[in-house]
Amino acid sequence: MAPHATGTPPSLSPSNSFSGSPITVLASSRAVVAGRITEATIVISTTTGKITTIFHSVLPASDFPPGTPYRDYTPHILLPGLVDAHVHLNEPGRTEWEGFWTGTRAAAFGGVTTVVDMPLNAIPPTTTVANLHEKVEAAQGKCWVDVGFYGGIIPGNADELLPLVDAGVRGFKGFLIDSGVPEFPAVSSNDISLALTALSSAPTTVMFHAEMIPPLSMSVGDVSHTSHPPNVPTGPLNTYQTFLDSRPPSFETYAISEVLSLAHLAPNLPLHIVHLSAIQAIPLLQEARRSGVKITAETCFHYLSLAAEGVEEGDTRHKCCPPIREQSNQHGLWAELKKEGTDGEDGVIKTVVSDHSPCTPDLKLLPEHVDISKSNTSVQEDTKEAEKGDFFAAWGGISSVGLGLSILWTEGQKRDVSIEDVVRWCCKNTAKQVGLGHRKGDLGVGYDGDICVFDDEGEFTVEHSSMLFRNKCSPYENRRLKGVVKETWLRGKRVFSRERGFAEKAGPAGDLLLEPRKHKA
């Protein structure tokens, strides 16, 4: 075996010399292996799709049997395929918003090889085993990357939760505030108690959209424009500051306090706060973790790259919940995120995800002055002029799946972020969070041969050709980003190339990840 090699070297017998090679070999002078950047030659079985050997040097093609598919990607970086653990694919039921085919192609474009689909916005939501089966049936043969599924916690479905674990969901999500869709209502404290009790010993993670209206607030979210004092909006409804005022940090801190007050019901169950926005919640989570509560948080690409001060009047592409907050808040999120993995420190924000939550452009109520394509504006012709640009009436969600790596790398260059940091936040920790840490999120022997070939010096402008999600409506349009995904490999097969496009003849190769979880996060 070559120096610094791990795993079993390929056999050099004559049987390996035919064109249907049993291995594929990818190499580069830079690869992130086991969390560290190094030279690497990675051997992947074409039978199992697993990594069988990693040599910690760049070996030439001549070291492998004749006919072995071999590519040296130097100087580009080989990364583990990203795991986006928070994506709304919306199929079936709202497939015109997004679907498995388009959403997973967009993911592959950005080096994402695994997405985990949220339980709401599809109809029916993933709140029962029967509904999960409908979702799985709708996904068959349409996925360009591997797809896992979350279950939902809603009032009255506590008896469905353990069966959903057995059926293979990778975690659960509940809302403490109106979700925006009637088929996925918010949960009460009693509902949370029932869910935590039911899942207390299960190998899963329970997650919360942590916004909750305090008993007395200056505003009450999306209904504030019809309220009377003191809940009246603070300004025009097409001004972003008015919307920001309506969902203050206290919404997040109050919700997180509620979750923490019930954590004792399941002391061994991992809890997770999705899309953390307000830095005021960080001390609460820090104290809880010091007290032994198993709770983590994620933040999103948009909270780390967009700021309230930069949102133009009426540009509802920026609306999401919790909202994009001020630049000073963004700095605080970065500071906490960078603690994760630092020697001697323990950050509460472990992961970065897209929370890709798309809709048709008409639901964004965009005004005429916002620069979007004619194909998008044409569907808004019947929108009432008074509603255009209304941050309260518009659908809340940011479209960004497949752009996250470049967004994070662009912003990270301003903050001394390393590629190893990105892999920890977007590959290793996200895989662990959803119970896939044994096969996803790292380059190692026995792991899936999921590889993102990343040009860390390349740049591109976000245009329709680089937004492969169904509806090209995103606040990142026309932004210049650094970092280009050159190729995406899924279990040893190239599914996307920046030069050649998708493996159309082969078709979608993604698996549905339905094996029951064995370990908690």
Side-chain angles (χ1 to χ4, degrees):
M1 185 175 292
H4 310 297
T6 56
T8 304
S11 167
L12 301 183
S13 66
S15 63
N16 279 350
S17 63
F18 58 87
S19 58
S21 173
I23 59 171
T24 294
V25 180
L26 309 182
S28 178
S29 59
R30 296 189 297 164
V32 180
V33 177
R36 295 288 182 266
I37 197 159
T38 180
E39 292 187 353
T41 302
I42 300 170
V43 181
I44 306 170
S45 166
T46 56
T47 302
T48 65
K50 300 286 187 180
I51 297 172
T52 60
T53 312
I54 297 178
F55 298 92
H56 295 268
S57 60
V58 177
L59 301 183
S62 58
D63 278 12
F64 297 92
T68 297
Y70 173 96
R71 180 71 183 270
D72 181 357
Y73 288 99
T74 303
H76 303 324
I77 311 175
L78 302 184
L79 307 178
L82 277 68
V83 178
D84 192 340
H86 192 142
V87 176
H88 294 265
L89 292 174
N90 299 349
E91 187 174 3
R94 291 191 176 96
T95 311
E96 70 276 12
W97 293 16
E98 190 63 274
F100 289 105
W101 182 278
T102 50
T104 58
R105 278 172 78 93
F109 174 90
V112 177
T113 54
T114 304
V115 301
V116 188
D117 179 61
M118 279 290 163
L120 72 157
N121 296 350
I123 301 174
T126 315
T127 51
T128 68
V129 172
N131 291 358
L132 173 64
H133 290 162
E134 285 195 46
K135 169 81 74 168
V136 169
E137 183 177 355
Q140 296 291 341
K142 298 178 183 177
C143 299
W144 290 88
V145 301
D146 288 352
V147 177
F149 303 93
Y150 289 122
I153 298 172
I154 61 172
N157 81 326
D159 290 343
E160 289 280 351
L161 303 182
L162 280 177
L164 279 166
V165 173
D166 294 337
V169 301
R170 314 227 64 83
F172 292 89
K173 180 183 181 181
F175 274 71
L176 279 75
I177 197 169
D178 179 24
S179 72
V181 292
E183 65 276 0
F184 203 94
V187 291
S188 67
S189 296
N190 184 59
D191 298 319
I192 297 172
S193 298
L194 292 172
L196 295 183
T197 301
L199 296 170
S200 61
S201 300
T204 193
T205 300
V206 175
M207 311 180 299
F208 295 97
H209 178 125
E211 286 186 290
M212 194 173 184
I213 300 172
L216 180 64
S217 173
M218 290 184 64
S219 188
V220 287
D222 284 355
V223 300
S224 68
H225 63 297
T226 60
S227 298
H228 300 289
N231 298 323
V232 67
T234 59
L237 303 185
N238 64 348
T239 298
Y240 186 73
Q241 187 62 49
T242 309
F243 173 66
L244 185 60
D245 291 343
S246 78
R247 299 183 95 103
S250 59
F251 276 33
E252 293 189 64
T253 56
Y254 187 64
I256 289 171
S257 295
E258 185 72 11
V259 171
L260 293 175
S261 74
L262 300 169
H264 67 279
L265 296 173
N268 296 316
L269 180 66
L271 306 177
H272 185 72
I273 303 302
V274 299
H275 47 52
L276 182 71
S277 166
I279 57 174
Q280 290 83 350
I282 291 173
L284 294 174
L285 295 167
Q286 289 172 333
E287 178 58 32
R289 287 177 61 81
R290 284 193 292 267
S291 300
V293 179
K294 293 186 176 182
I295 191 164
T296 56
E298 69 190 32
T299 194
C300 301
F301 302 119
H302 43 275
Y303 298 133
L304 297 171
S305 62
L306 304 174
E309 293 90 337
V311 181
E312 295 183 5
E313 185 174 278
D315 192 350
T316 52
R317 292 176 299 179
H318 292 79
K319 180 186 176 179
C320 59
C321 301
I324 294 162
R325 302 193 187 277
E326 300 85 354
Q327 186 69 61
S328 59
N329 186 86
Q330 183 190 115
H331 292 326
L333 291 175
W334 272 107
E336 183 64 21
L337 178 63
K338 289 179 69 176
K339 290 180 183 178
E340 168 56 20
T342 303
D343 292 342
E345 295 204 60
D346 177 34
V348 301
I349 303 175
K350 303 291 184 183
T351 54
V352 185
V353 297
S354 70
D355 187 14
H356 176 66
S357 185
C359 65
T360 53
D362 58 306
L363 296 178
K364 278 295 189 181
L365 304 177
L366 289 164
E368 300 292 339
H369 71 274
V370 174
D371 182 21
I372 59 173
S373 72
K374 292 181 180 179
S375 63
N376 281 346
T377 56
S378 65
V379 297
Q380 300 187 92
E381 292 175 354
D382 295 333
T383 302
K384 293 179 181 179
E385 194 64 36
E387 293 180 339
K388 290 182 178 179
D390 184 337
F391 281 100
F392 292 83
W395 175 259
I398 304 289
S399 292
S400 67
V401 68
L403 301 176
L405 174 57
S406 300
I407 293 167
L408 197 61
W409 188 242
T410 301
E411 295 300 316
Q413 298 308 286
K414 308 170 187 176
R415 297 172 173 83
D416 197 29
V417 167
S418 71
I419 197 65
E420 294 98 327
D421 292 331
V422 173
V423 167
R424 183 168 57 253
W425 303 330
C426 300
C427 305
K428 182 178 180 180
N429 287 359
T430 44
K432 179 182 177 183
Q433 176 188 315
V434 297
L436 292 170
H438 60 292
R439 59 176 290 197
K440 302 286 188 182
D442 201 356
L443 298 180
V445 173
Y447 281 75
D448 289 354
D450 295 356
I451 296 176
C452 166
V453 181
F454 186 57
D455 177 2
D456 57 322
E457 295 294 333
E459 296 185 358
F460 70 102
T461 299
V462 179
E463 301 171 330
H464 279 206
S465 61
S466 46
M467 294 188 291
L468 302 193
F469 33 85
R470 185 179 297 277
N471 294 291
K472 322 300 184 187
C473 183
S474 172
Y476 293 105
E477 186 169 1
N478 297 323
R479 283 185 173 244
R480 189 75 177 167
L481 299 179
K482 185 171 185 178
V484 175
V485 173
K486 304 297 286 187
E487 293 185 3
T488 302
W489 290 70
L490 179 67
R491 283 176 276 106
K493 296 179 180 178
R494 183 169 55 201
V495 295
F496 169 75
S497 165
R498 191 80 175 207
E499 295 179 357
R500 303 176 184 86
F502 286 84
E504 301 287 1
K505 290 184 179 180
D511 283 345
L512 305 184
L513 304 173
L514 291 167
E515 71 277 15
R517 286 181 61 166
K518 296 181 180 179
H519 304 286
K520 297 179 183 179

